[in-house]
Amino acid sequence: MSTTIPVAGPAAARARSAPARRTRASRVSWTDVGLGTLGALVVVGVEELITRTGIVDASYLPPFTTILGELGHQLGQPEFWQSFGQTLSGWAIGLAIATALGVTVGVIIGSVPLLRELTASTIEFLRPIPSVALIPLVVLLWGTRPASSIFLVVYAAVWQVLVQVLYGVADVDPVARDTARSYRFSRWRVARSVVWPTALPYVVTGFRLAASVALILEITSELIIGVPGLGRDIGVAQSSGAVAKTYALVIVVGLIGVAVNLATRYVERRVLSWHPSMRRAV
Amino acid sequence: MSITRPAPARTRRKESPMTAPAPTDVALAVRGVTKTYEAPGRSVEAIRHLDFAVRSGELVCVVGPSGAGKTTLLRCVSGLLELSGGSVELDGEPVTGPPPGMAVVFQEYGRSLFPWMTVRQNVELPLKEKGLAKAERKRLAREALEAVGLADSGDAHPWQLSGGMQQRVAIARAVAYEPTVLLMDEPFAAVDAQTRADLEDLVRRLWERLGVTVLFVTHDIDEAVYLGERVLVLSNRPTVLMEDVRVDLPRERDQLTTRSDPRFGELRGHVYELIQRAKAGQRPDGDLPALPEPDALTTDAELEGNAS
Amino acid sequence: MTARLALRKVVMTLALPVVLVAAWWIATADSTSFFWPPLEDIVRTFPETWTADRWLHDVLPSLGRLGIGYAVALVAGIAFGTAIGLSKTLRALTEPTLEFFRAVPPPVLVPVIALFTGYTSSLSKVGTIALGCVWPILLNAVDGVRGLEPVLLDTAQTYRLGRWRRLTYVILPGASPRIVAGARQALSIGVILMVISELFGANRGLGATIVQFQRSFAVPQMWTGIILLGLIGVALSVLFRLIENRVLAWYHGQREIERGA
C-alpha cells in the first residue's frame, strides 16, 4: 500500500470554518515591475548626483557609474571568479550539511516525545548563541582554512532547519497518524506517508531561512577571519583604499543574496502550492 | 434614541397601502444607482439601475440570486464603493464615503472584530471616535452588550467566543453606535441554523426598541420575509429591481407561529418564484439569457479586488 | 501544577544540560590541549577576567550601543515600513531596492561604513547596527500592513475611524505579529554586528576584548568571553520572548484556539 494519507489537519479545518477568502494576487503586474525599476533608477540617479557634485566625498562613495565600471572590470578577472567560487562552495557545502543534520536530528527528536522534552531546554539555550562568539575558537582551530567558514555556517544554519522540522513534526495531525497506525502501517511507512508530507513545507521554510543565514555567516567568516572568498576580498579592498572595488564587490554579494532569496522563495512556493496544508511562513 | 427606551410613537407604522414616501420620511434614498467594474481588458456591469427608498424606521430586506450584486449594492450604499452613476442619499445628504450615522455588520464576523481588543473595547472603539465621554461610552457599551445577551462577555476576546456570539458582538458594536441606518450584509450566512433563528429575533427586537432604519441583505428567502417589512428582490447581473414586495405580516413575529402562517407561505412562495425567474434571466427591462451556474460567476469580492 | 509535575518539568529542563556540562568538565579535566583547557580552569578564570572594570567599560557600552542601534532600527523600520505598506505605489517603487539592501549580508556593512567614519567611533558602530537591523523590521512591517484583513479595514472605514486612531488601533496592532517576527530576526543580526563592529581597529568592547584574548592566545580567558557572549545572547532572547508574550498575547491566544478547532 503506497497511499498517502491526506493530511486534513488544523489548516484544513481552519479553511473550512472561515469563509473563502480571496488570495492576494501573487502575479506581479507590469506596472509593478516598471515602478520597481523606476525606484531603483531613482536611487541610483540620486547617488550618482550627490557623488558627482561633491555633496558626498567621492573617496567615501564613488559615483554609481564608476562602481559599475569597476564591477565590469572585476568580472573579467580570474581572481574574482575564484573568490566567487570559493564563497559559493563554502555556502553550499555548509548549507547542505546543516540541512541534512537539521532534518535528521529534527525528525528523530520530533518523533520521540521523551527526546523532545529532554532536548527542549538545550536547544532553546544553544540557539540564540551568536555564531560570532565562536569565531575566536574557530580561528585557533583552523585559521583561514575553509573548515572555519563551513563550521560557522553549519552552526548557525542548522538551528533554522532544526526548529522548523520540529514544528513540522509537531504539526502532524494526530488523527491521520492514528489512522495510519490502525491500518498497521510500519513505523517507516507512517513516517513516509504521514509525517513527511506534513513536515515538508516546514523543511522547505527552514531551508529558505538557513540559506540566507548561511550566506551571512560565509561572508562574515571570510571578512573577519580571512577565509578565501568574496568577503575577504571586500575587506582587503577596503583597507587598501580600493573604494570602487569595495562597493562593486558588495553589490555582487548583495546580488548573490537576492538570487538566493528568490530561488529559495520560488522553491518554497512551488512546494507549498501543491501541498494540501498551506502554511504562512513568518 | 437610547437602547433602553423604546422608540417614539411616530415611527411605528400600521399597515398602509404602498404610497410614495414623503420626502422628510426617507432615511435612505437610492436613486438611479449604477456600478460598473473596470478591469484591464474587461468591464463588468454589476448594477444597471437601482432605485428605491427606505423610510425612517423601516426594516427592508434585499434578496436576489447568487451573483446578483447584493454585496455590491451594500458597499455602494455604505460608501465603501464608488458609484458609476446615480446617487445615494442618507437623510438627504449625498453619500460619498462612509457617512456618519451609519453602521455596517459584515458577514465575516470573525474578521470584523479586532482580535487584539476585548469585546468591550471593540464595542467602545467607534464611540471613542465619536468623541463621547468615557462614562457615556461605558454606559452605551454595557447596554448594547446586555441587549444582545452578552453582558458577561465584556472582558473576553472575540476569538474566545463562538461564531454566533461574535456576530452578536458585531451587532452590539453597531447598536451602541446609535446609527440612524443599520446595514447588514448577509450577517447570518456563516452561522448555524439554530443560532441564526436566535439572531434573527434579536435583530427584530433591537429594531423595534431602537426605531433604527435597517437595510438587511440576505440570500435566505425565509429570513427576508420573516424579518422585513418590505423585500426588495433583485434580478441577476446586471442588477435591476425585480419587485418591491410588501410583507403584510403582523408586526409581532416569532419563529413558530409566523413561519406557519399561510400568508408567510404565500409571500415566501412569491419571492421564491421571483428569484427563480431572475435566475432564468427574466427581468423587467427585457429578458436576458440565463447566466451559468453560480460558482462559475466571479464574486463581487473578486471583481472588486481586480478592478479599480 | 502538582509538585510531581513541577519536579518532572525541572528534571526535564536540566537533565541534558547538566549531563553535557558534566561531560565537558570530565572530558577536559586533565586536558593539556591548547584549545580545550579544563572547564574547571575556565570557570575559575571567569571572575578574574570579567572584573567590574571590564563590565563597566567593555560589556555595558557594547550592550548600550546595541540597544541604541536596535531602537533606531525599530523606530525607522516600523515608521517607513508602515508608510510604504499603506501605499501601493510606494511599495511598487521601493520593493526591489529594499529587497536588494536586505540581501546584503550585514557584516559587509562594517567595512563600508568604515569608509565614512573609520572603525573606532561609537557612531560608526551604532550606525552599523542600526543599518543592519532595519531591513528585516522594515520589510516585515510592509508585509504586515499589506496582509491586514480587508474586513477589518472596511470596518474601520465604515465607523469613520480617524487617521491616527486607525494607525494606532488597527494598523499597527494588526501588523504587529509580523513586525515582531522581523524584530526577532533583527535582534540576532544586531548581536552579530555588535561583535563584528568591534573586531576591527583598536577598541573597547565585548567583542574587542574577546578577540584580544584570542590574539594573545589567552585561551581560557577567550573561552570565558565566548561563554559570556553566549549567555548574553540567551538572555536577550529570553527578554525578547517575555516582551513578545506581552505584546502578542492576543495573537498567541487566537492561534491556539484556531489550532485546536
mmCIF file of all heavy atoms in Angstrom, chain A residues 3-8 168-169 171-181 185-201 275 277:
data_model
loop_
_atom_site.group_PDB
_atom_site.id
_atom_site.type_symbol
_atom_site.label_atom_id
_atom_site.label_comp_id
_atom_site.label_asym_id
_atom_site.label_seq_id
_atom_site.Cartn_x
_atom_site.Cartn_y
_atom_site.Cartn_z
ATOM 1 N N THR A 3 -0.308 4.459 -0.347
ATOM 2 C CA THR A 3 -1.168 5.651 -0.367
ATOM 3 C C THR A 3 -0.630 6.692 0.591
ATOM 4 O O THR A 3 -0.033 6.363 1.610
ATOM 5 C CB THR A 3 -2.597 5.304 0.054
ATOM 6 O OG1 THR A 3 -2.524 4.453 1.196
ATOM 7 C CG2 THR A 3 -3.334 4.623 -1.061
ATOM 8 N N THR A 4 -0.861 7.894 0.257
ATOM 9 C CA THR A 4 -0.526 8.963 1.180
ATOM 10 C C THR A 4 -1.798 9.372 1.892
ATOM 11 O O THR A 4 -2.785 9.726 1.262
ATOM 12 C CB THR A 4 0.028 10.168 0.411
ATOM 13 O OG1 THR A 4 1.031 9.715 -0.476
ATOM 14 C CG2 THR A 4 0.595 11.184 1.372
ATOM 15 N N ILE A 5 -1.757 9.318 3.187
ATOM 16 C CA ILE A 5 -2.941 9.710 3.945
ATOM 17 C C ILE A 5 -3.123 11.217 3.764
ATOM 18 O O ILE A 5 -2.204 11.985 4.038
ATOM 19 C CB ILE A 5 -2.774 9.404 5.429
ATOM 20 C CG1 ILE A 5 -2.422 7.930 5.609
ATOM 21 C CG2 ILE A 5 -4.035 9.797 6.165
ATOM 22 C CD1 ILE A 5 -3.511 7.060 6.083
ATOM 23 N N PRO A 6 -4.297 11.625 3.313
ATOM 24 C CA PRO A 6 -4.481 13.086 3.160
ATOM 25 C C PRO A 6 -4.391 13.760 4.520
ATOM 26 O O PRO A 6 -4.972 13.291 5.486
ATOM 27 C CB PRO A 6 -5.891 13.208 2.577
ATOM 28 C CG PRO A 6 -6.547 11.915 2.837
ATOM 29 C CD PRO A 6 -5.492 10.878 2.943
ATOM 30 N N VAL A 7 -3.604 14.794 4.529
ATOM 31 C CA VAL A 7 -3.419 15.462 5.809
ATOM 32 C C VAL A 7 -4.520 16.498 5.984
ATOM 33 O O VAL A 7 -4.470 17.568 5.409
ATOM 34 C CB VAL A 7 -2.040 16.154 5.837
ATOM 35 C CG1 VAL A 7 -1.828 16.858 7.146
ATOM 36 C CG2 VAL A 7 -0.955 15.117 5.613
ATOM 37 N N ALA A 8 -5.520 16.128 6.752
ATOM 38 C CA ALA A 8 -6.607 17.093 6.972
ATOM 39 C C ALA A 8 -6.443 17.675 8.359
ATOM 40 O O ALA A 8 -7.205 17.435 9.247
ATOM 41 C CB ALA A 8 -7.946 16.392 6.845
ATOM 42 N N GLY A 168 7.341 21.112 12.220
ATOM 43 C CA GLY A 168 6.663 20.305 11.212
ATOM 44 C C GLY A 168 6.211 18.968 11.758
ATOM 45 O O GLY A 168 5.072 18.544 11.577
ATOM 46 N N VAL A 169 7.114 18.316 12.471
ATOM 47 C CA VAL A 169 6.757 17.015 13.022
ATOM 48 C C VAL A 169 5.656 17.178 14.061
ATOM 49 O O VAL A 169 4.766 16.344 14.188
ATOM 50 C CB VAL A 169 7.999 16.336 13.631
ATOM 51 C CG1 VAL A 169 7.620 15.064 14.332
ATOM 52 C CG2 VAL A 169 9.017 16.053 12.547
ATOM 53 N N ASP A 171 3.321 19.269 13.957
ATOM 54 C CA ASP A 171 2.079 19.686 13.331
ATOM 55 C C ASP A 171 1.297 18.522 12.741
ATOM 56 O O ASP A 171 0.189 18.706 12.249
ATOM 57 C CB ASP A 171 2.398 20.710 12.218
ATOM 58 C CG ASP A 171 1.229 21.615 11.957
ATOM 59 O OD1 ASP A 171 0.480 21.892 12.912
ATOM 60 O OD2 ASP A 171 1.050 22.044 10.803
ATOM 61 N N VAL A 172 1.891 17.342 12.782
ATOM 62 C CA VAL A 172 1.220 16.200 12.167
ATOM 63 C C VAL A 172 -0.116 15.959 12.848
ATOM 64 O O VAL A 172 -0.223 15.932 14.064
ATOM 65 C CB VAL A 172 2.106 14.941 12.270
ATOM 66 C CG1 VAL A 172 1.336 13.705 11.848
ATOM 67 C CG2 VAL A 172 3.341 15.113 11.420
ATOM 68 N N ASP A 173 -1.119 15.804 12.057
ATOM 69 C CA ASP A 173 -2.461 15.575 12.570
ATOM 70 C C ASP A 173 -2.517 14.237 13.303
ATOM 71 O O ASP A 173 -2.307 13.197 12.681
ATOM 72 C CB ASP A 173 -3.436 15.591 11.394
ATOM 73 C CG ASP A 173 -4.879 15.427 11.854
ATOM 74 O OD1 ASP A 173 -5.119 15.465 13.071
ATOM 75 O OD2 ASP A 173 -5.736 15.258 10.979
ATOM 76 N N PRO A 174 -2.801 14.273 14.588
ATOM 77 C CA PRO A 174 -2.830 13.004 15.333
ATOM 78 C C PRO A 174 -3.850 12.024 14.780
ATOM 79 O O PRO A 174 -3.642 10.803 14.833
ATOM 80 C CB PRO A 174 -3.173 13.417 16.764
ATOM 81 C CG PRO A 174 -3.582 14.832 16.707
ATOM 82 C CD PRO A 174 -3.076 15.422 15.450
ATOM 83 N N VAL A 175 -4.927 12.568 14.235
ATOM 84 C CA VAL A 175 -5.939 11.669 13.664
ATOM 85 C C VAL A 175 -5.358 10.907 12.482
ATOM 86 O O VAL A 175 -5.541 9.693 12.345
ATOM 87 C CB VAL A 175 -7.177 12.472 13.199
ATOM 88 C CG1 VAL A 175 -8.149 11.568 12.477
ATOM 89 C CG2 VAL A 175 -7.833 13.130 14.386
ATOM 90 N N ALA A 176 -4.627 11.621 11.639
ATOM 91 C CA ALA A 176 -4.041 10.955 10.476
ATOM 92 C C ALA A 176 -3.049 9.891 10.912
ATOM 93 O O ALA A 176 -3.001 8.793 10.359
ATOM 94 C CB ALA A 176 -3.360 11.990 9.579
ATOM 95 N N ARG A 177 -2.260 10.258 11.933
ATOM 96 C CA ARG A 177 -1.255 9.303 12.371
ATOM 97 C C ARG A 177 -1.900 8.065 12.985
ATOM 98 O O ARG A 177 -1.496 6.935 12.727
ATOM 99 C CB ARG A 177 -0.306 9.966 13.387
ATOM 100 C CG ARG A 177 0.975 9.200 13.505
ATOM 101 C CD ARG A 177 1.801 9.532 14.720
ATOM 102 N NE ARG A 177 1.546 10.808 15.295
ATOM 103 C CZ ARG A 177 2.482 11.722 15.499
ATOM 104 N NH1 ARG A 177 3.711 11.501 15.093
ATOM 105 N NH2 ARG A 177 2.183 12.862 16.069
ATOM 106 N N ASP A 178 -2.940 8.313 13.778
ATOM 107 C CA ASP A 178 -3.639 7.170 14.380
ATOM 108 C C ASP A 178 -4.287 6.301 13.315
ATOM 109 O O ASP A 178 -4.306 5.068 13.422
ATOM 110 C CB ASP A 178 -4.709 7.667 15.351
ATOM 111 C CG ASP A 178 -4.096 8.246 16.613
ATOM 112 O OD1 ASP A 178 -2.901 7.952 16.844
ATOM 113 O OD2 ASP A 178 -4.791 8.961 17.335
ATOM 114 N N THR A 179 -4.840 6.951 12.296
ATOM 115 C CA THR A 179 -5.450 6.190 11.206
ATOM 116 C C THR A 179 -4.420 5.286 10.563
ATOM 117 O O THR A 179 -4.675 4.110 10.304
ATOM 118 C CB THR A 179 -6.027 7.142 10.144
ATOM 119 O OG1 THR A 179 -6.842 8.104 10.784
ATOM 120 C CG2 THR A 179 -6.827 6.377 9.123
ATOM 121 N N ALA A 180 -3.251 5.863 10.311
ATOM 122 C CA ALA A 180 -2.208 5.055 9.680
ATOM 123 C C ALA A 180 -1.823 3.882 10.568
ATOM 124 O O ALA A 180 -1.666 2.754 10.108
ATOM 125 C CB ALA A 180 -0.978 5.927 9.402
ATOM 126 N N ARG A 181 -1.694 4.169 11.853
ATOM 127 C CA ARG A 181 -1.331 3.090 12.773
ATOM 128 C C ARG A 181 -2.418 2.024 12.813
ATOM 129 O O ARG A 181 -2.131 0.835 12.889
ATOM 130 C CB ARG A 181 -1.124 3.653 14.178
ATOM 131 C CG ARG A 181 0.150 4.448 14.291
ATOM 132 C CD ARG A 181 1.151 3.737 15.161
ATOM 133 N NE ARG A 181 2.151 4.693 15.586
ATOM 134 C CZ ARG A 181 1.966 5.509 16.616
ATOM 135 N NH1 ARG A 181 0.839 5.439 17.314
ATOM 136 N NH2 ARG A 181 2.897 6.382 16.918
ATOM 137 N N PHE A 185 0.329 0.402 9.601
ATOM 138 C CA PHE A 185 1.496 0.854 8.840
ATOM 139 C C PHE A 185 2.738 0.665 9.688
ATOM 140 O O PHE A 185 2.729 0.892 10.885
ATOM 141 C CB PHE A 185 1.371 2.366 8.543
ATOM 142 C CG PHE A 185 0.553 2.682 7.326
ATOM 143 C CD1 PHE A 185 -0.363 1.784 6.803
ATOM 144 C CD2 PHE A 185 0.691 3.909 6.712
ATOM 145 C CE1 PHE A 185 -1.115 2.093 5.688
ATOM 146 C CE2 PHE A 185 -0.057 4.228 5.600
ATOM 147 C CZ PHE A 185 -0.959 3.331 5.089
ATOM 148 N N SER A 186 3.818 0.276 9.035
ATOM 149 C CA SER A 186 5.067 0.172 9.771
ATOM 150 C C SER A 186 5.522 1.586 10.138
ATOM 151 O O SER A 186 5.083 2.565 9.552
ATOM 152 C CB SER A 186 6.137 -0.502 8.911
ATOM 153 O OG SER A 186 6.544 0.395 7.891
ATOM 154 N N ARG A 187 6.391 1.682 11.122
ATOM 155 C CA ARG A 187 6.881 2.998 11.555
ATOM 156 C C ARG A 187 7.442 3.787 10.394
ATOM 157 O O ARG A 187 7.252 4.986 10.279
ATOM 158 C CB ARG A 187 7.983 2.809 12.609
ATOM 159 C CG ARG A 187 7.495 3.059 13.998
ATOM 160 C CD ARG A 187 8.514 3.831 14.827
ATOM 161 N NE ARG A 187 7.901 4.847 15.627
ATOM 162 C CZ ARG A 187 7.326 4.654 16.805
ATOM 163 N NH1 ARG A 187 7.246 3.450 17.303
ATOM 164 N NH2 ARG A 187 6.808 5.653 17.479
ATOM 165 N N TRP A 188 8.123 3.092 9.548
ATOM 166 C CA TRP A 188 8.742 3.747 8.403
ATOM 167 C C TRP A 188 7.690 4.315 7.469
ATOM 168 O O TRP A 188 7.771 5.425 6.983
ATOM 169 C CB TRP A 188 9.635 2.743 7.669
ATOM 170 C CG TRP A 188 9.969 3.142 6.266
ATOM 171 C CD1 TRP A 188 9.539 2.535 5.127
ATOM 172 C CD2 TRP A 188 10.789 4.233 5.847
ATOM 173 N NE1 TRP A 188 10.047 3.168 4.029
ATOM 174 C CE2 TRP A 188 10.819 4.221 4.438
ATOM 175 C CE3 TRP A 188 11.497 5.228 6.522
ATOM 176 C CZ2 TRP A 188 11.522 5.149 3.702
ATOM 177 C CZ3 TRP A 188 12.212 6.157 5.776
ATOM 178 C CH2 TRP A 188 12.216 6.115 4.383
ATOM 179 N N ARG A 189 6.641 3.499 7.268
ATOM 180 C CA ARG A 189 5.607 3.935 6.359
ATOM 181 C C ARG A 189 4.834 5.118 6.933
ATOM 182 O O ARG A 189 4.411 6.009 6.212
ATOM 183 C CB ARG A 189 4.650 2.789 6.083
ATOM 184 C CG ARG A 189 3.881 3.041 4.824
ATOM 185 C CD ARG A 189 3.489 1.864 4.028
ATOM 186 N NE ARG A 189 4.233 1.757 2.804
ATOM 187 C CZ ARG A 189 4.707 0.626 2.331
ATOM 188 N NH1 ARG A 189 4.533 -0.483 3.005
ATOM 189 N NH2 ARG A 189 5.350 0.586 1.199
ATOM 190 N N VAL A 190 4.621 5.071 8.248
ATOM 191 C CA VAL A 190 3.945 6.195 8.897
ATOM 192 C C VAL A 190 4.757 7.466 8.660
ATOM 193 O O VAL A 190 4.239 8.518 8.305
ATOM 194 C CB VAL A 190 3.786 5.949 10.417
ATOM 195 C CG1 VAL A 190 3.307 7.210 11.106
ATOM 196 C CG2 VAL A 190 2.818 4.815 10.672
ATOM 197 N N ALA A 191 6.065 7.332 8.863
ATOM 198 C CA ALA A 191 6.931 8.493 8.653
ATOM 199 C C ALA A 191 6.801 9.006 7.229
ATOM 200 O O ALA A 191 6.690 10.201 6.985
ATOM 201 C CB ALA A 191 8.377 8.129 8.977
ATOM 202 N N ARG A 192 6.782 8.081 6.299
ATOM 203 C CA ARG A 192 6.801 8.484 4.893
ATOM 204 C C ARG A 192 5.471 9.079 4.444
ATOM 205 O O ARG A 192 5.433 10.071 3.736
ATOM 206 C CB ARG A 192 7.115 7.266 4.037
ATOM 207 C CG ARG A 192 8.193 7.531 3.007
ATOM 208 C CD ARG A 192 8.260 6.416 1.998
ATOM 209 N NE ARG A 192 7.093 6.425 1.130
ATOM 210 C CZ ARG A 192 6.885 5.542 0.173
ATOM 211 N NH1 ARG A 192 7.743 4.581 -0.021
ATOM 212 N NH2 ARG A 192 5.813 5.609 -0.574
ATOM 213 N N SER A 193 4.366 8.444 4.851
ATOM 214 C CA SER A 193 3.094 8.885 4.277
ATOM 215 C C SER A 193 2.332 9.870 5.142
ATOM 216 O O SER A 193 1.392 10.491 4.685
ATOM 217 C CB SER A 193 2.201 7.678 3.962
ATOM 218 O OG SER A 193 2.062 6.881 5.119
ATOM 219 N N VAL A 194 2.717 10.004 6.392
ATOM 220 C CA VAL A 194 2.003 10.959 7.243
ATOM 221 C C VAL A 194 2.910 12.097 7.704
ATOM 222 O O VAL A 194 2.617 13.261 7.523
ATOM 223 C CB VAL A 194 1.397 10.255 8.478
ATOM 224 C CG1 VAL A 194 0.721 11.276 9.371
ATOM 225 C CG2 VAL A 194 0.414 9.195 8.045
ATOM 226 N N VAL A 195 4.050 11.697 8.278
ATOM 227 C CA VAL A 195 4.911 12.731 8.859
ATOM 228 C C VAL A 195 5.543 13.595 7.776
ATOM 229 O O VAL A 195 5.519 14.828 7.840
ATOM 230 C CB VAL A 195 5.994 12.076 9.736
ATOM 231 C CG1 VAL A 195 6.941 13.122 10.270
ATOM 232 C CG2 VAL A 195 5.345 11.309 10.873
ATOM 233 N N TRP A 196 6.117 12.924 6.778
ATOM 234 C CA TRP A 196 6.865 13.669 5.765
ATOM 235 C C TRP A 196 6.026 14.714 5.021
ATOM 236 O O TRP A 196 6.454 15.864 4.889
ATOM 237 C CB TRP A 196 7.523 12.692 4.790
ATOM 238 C CG TRP A 196 8.347 13.361 3.751
ATOM 239 C CD1 TRP A 196 8.153 13.333 2.410
ATOM 240 C CD2 TRP A 196 9.499 14.193 3.958
ATOM 241 N NE1 TRP A 196 9.124 14.084 1.766
ATOM 242 C CE2 TRP A 196 9.954 14.617 2.700
ATOM 243 C CE3 TRP A 196 10.186 14.615 5.094
ATOM 244 C CZ2 TRP A 196 11.059 15.439 2.534
ATOM 245 C CZ3 TRP A 196 11.301 15.443 4.929
ATOM 246 C CH2 TRP A 196 11.722 15.844 3.656
ATOM 247 N N PRO A 197 4.827 14.370 4.525
ATOM 248 C CA PRO A 197 4.059 15.400 3.819
ATOM 249 C C PRO A 197 3.727 16.606 4.698
ATOM 250 O O PRO A 197 3.685 17.722 4.222
ATOM 251 C CB PRO A 197 2.771 14.672 3.400
ATOM 252 C CG PRO A 197 3.120 13.239 3.420
ATOM 253 C CD PRO A 197 4.136 13.067 4.468
ATOM 254 N N THR A 198 3.466 16.355 5.977
ATOM 255 C CA THR A 198 3.190 17.487 6.854
ATOM 256 C C THR A 198 4.426 18.312 7.094
ATOM 257 O O THR A 198 4.384 19.537 7.118
ATOM 258 C CB THR A 198 2.690 17.002 8.230
ATOM 259 O OG1 THR A 198 1.795 15.936 8.042
ATOM 260 C CG2 THR A 198 2.037 18.129 8.977
ATOM 261 N N ALA A 199 5.525 17.609 7.291
ATOM 262 C CA ALA A 199 6.747 18.315 7.659
ATOM 263 C C ALA A 199 7.386 19.013 6.476
ATOM 264 O O ALA A 199 8.143 19.976 6.656
ATOM 265 C CB ALA A 199 7.733 17.328 8.292
ATOM 266 N N LEU A 200 7.080 18.548 5.276
ATOM 267 C CA LEU A 200 7.789 19.067 4.111
ATOM 268 C C LEU A 200 7.752 20.586 3.983
ATOM 269 O O LEU A 200 8.807 21.201 3.794
ATOM 270 C CB LEU A 200 7.236 18.413 2.834
ATOM 271 C CG LEU A 200 7.979 18.765 1.541
ATOM 272 C CD1 LEU A 200 9.454 18.419 1.665
ATOM 273 C CD2 LEU A 200 7.369 18.028 0.364
ATOM 274 N N PRO A 201 6.592 21.233 4.075
ATOM 275 C CA PRO A 201 6.625 22.694 3.944
ATOM 276 C C PRO A 201 7.495 23.358 5.002
ATOM 277 O O PRO A 201 8.156 24.367 4.725
ATOM 278 C CB PRO A 201 5.171 23.121 4.118
ATOM 279 C CG PRO A 201 4.377 21.921 4.276
ATOM 280 C CD PRO A 201 5.231 20.727 4.252
ATOM 281 N N HIS A 275 0.952 21.422 -2.032
ATOM 282 C CA HIS A 275 0.801 20.754 -0.745
ATOM 283 C C HIS A 275 -0.553 21.087 -0.143
ATOM 284 O O HIS A 275 -0.942 22.233 -0.106
ATOM 285 C CB HIS A 275 1.923 21.190 0.192
ATOM 286 C CG HIS A 275 2.100 20.261 1.339
ATOM 287 N ND1 HIS A 275 1.320 20.321 2.476
ATOM 288 C CD2 HIS A 275 2.935 19.222 1.526
ATOM 289 C CE1 HIS A 275 1.699 19.370 3.297
ATOM 290 N NE2 HIS A 275 2.671 18.697 2.760
ATOM 291 N N SER A 277 -1.692 21.208 2.931
ATOM 292 C CA SER A 277 -1.783 22.080 4.091
ATOM 293 C C SER A 277 -0.947 23.329 3.853
ATOM 294 O O SER A 277 0.264 23.287 3.767
ATOM 295 C CB SER A 277 -1.303 21.366 5.354
ATOM 296 O OG SER A 277 0.069 21.511 5.531
#
